[in-house]
Amino acid sequence: MNPPSNPPPPSPSDDAPGVPGFRTWRGVYLFVLAAFIVVVIALTLFTRAYT
């Protein structure tokens, strides 16, 4: 009788973003959200400084 075999290790996700520096889509989304927030804050500060 054969001993029970272990399941194969999980393969890397096929949904990898393929973007250098990011391993998951969640990281990409968080980066885009943070960049958007920084741009909105910068526009707000520039509007107050130059009006």
Side-chain angles (χ1 to χ4, degrees), residues 3-48:
S5 63
N6 293 335
S11 62
S13 175
D14 290 337
D15 294 337
V19 180
F22 296 100
R23 289 187 231 157
T24 64
W25 279 109
R26 183 177 185 179
V28 174
Y29 293 144
L30 289 175
F31 176 78
V32 170
L33 179 63
F36 175 75
I37 291 170
V38 167
V39 168
V40 169
I41 290 171
L43 288 173
T44 302
L45 294 174
F46 288 141
T47 300
R48 289 184 183 181

